[in-house]
Amino acid sequence: MDEVKVVVAHSERATLRVGDVFLKVDADQTRIDVEVETMALAPVPTPEVLWRKPPVLALAALPGTTLGRLGGPSTGSPSAWAAAGAAIRKLHDAPLPSRSGQAGRSIVALAAELDDECELLVTNGVLPADLVTRNRQIAEAALRPWTPAFTHGDLQIAHVFADGDEVTGIIDWSEAGQGDPLYDLATFTLGHEGHLGDVTAGYGTDVDLDVIRAWWSLRSLLVVRWLIEHGFDPFAPGCEVDVLKSRM
């Protein structure tokens, strides 16, 4: 029998790997609905849906490996990062899906959420006030009008697979929808600033690097408490708190 490996698990969802099959268990079936529908629309490689029986979705494993992980070294070549940039651009150029995604929150709602989160981080002693204040100032640049694109919404480095210099697939589409394309680029390069140039070269058009850096600060500020509450460590070397510290 193949070994069962826990890929990720917390109170909202869990992903298990058994051989060449990934089993996703999600308490919110809407997220699974979005994932299945969006993978069918995405113009980039995605996992094959093997079967679905709520609350479980079975997906075939992708060939290749990720380009690295947050808090760890990059295992991908510069050309592989550029290929990922090209794949992201292909996604962003595709016809818009009908729904808004995680990257599509309104400026007003996002600013209010950010202000509340910054206050809690300081009040509860999670992060120093000067660190929060500085990164809140940087994050302001992300709060601007943007043209909607087909976005992944959770394009972490661990969600993009490559074999050599070829992108073989992108996983975890439950947050996808219309949104700010620079949110995807920032999420993908979070903690790997040295590869931002490779990604934007593959992306093939001018991007506002200050906005990407602003999204690094904004995203990190918003997720620190959530990560702690769900058993993850944003204080680990190279992770979200180090990203915030690098802006000082």
Side-chain angles (χ1 to χ4, degrees):
M1 178 178 178
D2 289 313
E3 179 183 5
V4 176
K5 178 182 179 182
V6 178
V7 179
V8 63
H10 49 77
S11 60
E12 296 177 2
R13 68 191 85 168
T15 301
L16 310 175
R17 179 168 186 168
V18 185
D20 289 331
V21 177
F22 283 90
L23 302 175
K24 302 190 69 171
V25 185
D26 200 315
D28 184 350
Q29 285 306 292
T30 299
R31 285 194 291 254
I32 295 295
D33 291 340
V34 171
E35 179 153 12
V36 173
E37 292 170 10
T38 307
M39 286 194 297
L41 296 174
V44 294
T46 60
E48 177 189 359
V49 176
L50 299 176
W51 52 265
R52 181 182 179 188
K53 186 176 182 180
V56 182
L57 173 66
L59 300 170
L62 291 170
T65 59
T66 63
L67 301 184
R69 62 180 178 84
L70 182 62
S74 165
T75 56
S77 66
S79 55
W81 282 83
I88 297 169
R89 176 61 184 275
K90 187 175 182 180
L91 174 67
H92 290 170
D93 285 344
L96 293 175
S98 60
R99 69 183 77 220
S100 180
Q102 178 71 4
R105 290 168 289 174
S106 75
I107 296 172
V108 173
L110 196 58
E113 181 183 356
L114 180 60
D115 287 340
D116 290 344
E117 194 63 31
C118 287
E119 182 178 355
L120 289 170
L121 288 170
V122 175
T123 302
N124 295 340
V126 179
L127 294 175
D130 60 340
L131 183 64
V132 173
T133 299
R134 172 57 178 157
N135 279 276
R136 174 61 183 86
Q137 293 169 344
I138 295 171
E140 188 69 26
L143 304 174
R144 88 285 176 222
W146 40 267
T147 300
F150 189 151
T151 54
H152 180 280
D154 190 23
L155 199 61
Q156 303 174 44
I157 185 176
H159 292 164
V160 179
F161 284 71
D163 186 0
D165 298 338
E166 178 185 357
V167 173
T168 56
I170 300 175
I171 65 172
D172 285 1
W173 292 84
S174 61
E175 307 292 347
Q178 296 185 30
D180 179 359
L182 296 192
Y183 179 91
D184 272 354
L185 290 173
T187 303
F188 182 62
T189 55
L190 183 75
H192 290 279
E193 185 170 357
H195 284 290
L196 179 59
D198 299 323
V199 173
T200 55
Y203 194 73
T205 188
D206 289 336
V207 298
D208 191 330
L209 299 183
D210 287 337
V211 172
I212 289 180
R213 296 185 181 102
W215 271 120
W216 288 340
S217 291
L218 199 160
R219 178 181 169 87
S220 297
L221 287 169
L222 288 183
V223 302
V224 165
R225 286 195 318 115
W226 186 94
L227 291 169
I228 294 171
E229 292 169 0
H230 288 78
F232 301 101
D233 185 9
F235 290 88
C239 292
E240 285 80 5
V241 174
D242 275 356
V243 171
L244 295 172
K245 289 179 178 177
S246 70
R247 302 299 100 188
M248 299 296 286

